[in-house]
Amino acid sequence: MIADARRASRDGDAGCGGGARACDDELRYLHAEALNQAGRLDEAVGAYHALDRKGAPSAMRQNALYAAAQIEKRNGRLTAATADFERALAAAPGGALHEEALVGAMESARAGGDT
């Protein structure tokens, strides 16, 4: 399915705005979500992190970093979770997940012993 969508984006048939790069970002996000749902959590975190790159939409970066942080927090990797929550905050300071990322960063830091 991902390969078909990439071919369509190259052929100009894609429905996402922002050109082929934006379509690739959307496909990468969907791939990360699929890995998460399949329980391949380390791979999902890596795929979410790959979306945190220069030029990626700030909302997508925030969503991806927030999702990675949630996985890391559930798996007890509190330092990594805190860092990702903080990166999510920085990616889109006025973004939709601002408050959730702030709370996540504070809770992860506290759970890791940083009061």
Side-chain angles (χ1 to χ4, degrees):
M1 190 165 74
I2 291 171
D4 290 341
R6 281 197 175 120
R7 273 192 296 281
S9 73
R10 282 188 217 109
D11 295 338
D13 295 336
C16 60
R21 187 149 196 153
C23 288
D24 263 354
D25 285 338
E26 289 183 30
L27 291 170
R28 285 184 183 107
Y29 189 86
L30 291 173
H31 179 68
E33 289 285 300
L35 291 169
N36 189 5
Q37 293 299 312
R40 297 167 56 185
L41 302 180
D42 289 336
E43 291 174 76
V45 168
Y48 286 128
H49 283 166
L51 288 162
D52 183 27
R53 62 164 185 75
K54 184 178 179 178
S58 60
M60 181 176 293
R61 290 176 56 221
Q62 185 177 61
N63 288 342
L65 289 165
Y66 183 80
Q70 287 183 312
I71 292 169
E72 291 168 332
K73 184 178 177 185
R74 280 193 312 268
N75 288 328
R77 296 189 300 248
L78 300 175
T79 302
T82 301
D84 281 344
F85 281 126
E86 290 174 355
R87 286 172 49 206
L89 281 167
L97 293 174
H98 176 80
E99 290 178 12
E100 290 86 350
L102 181 59
V103 169
M106 292 187 314
E107 288 177 347
S108 296
R110 184 183 56 207
D114 182 1
T115 57

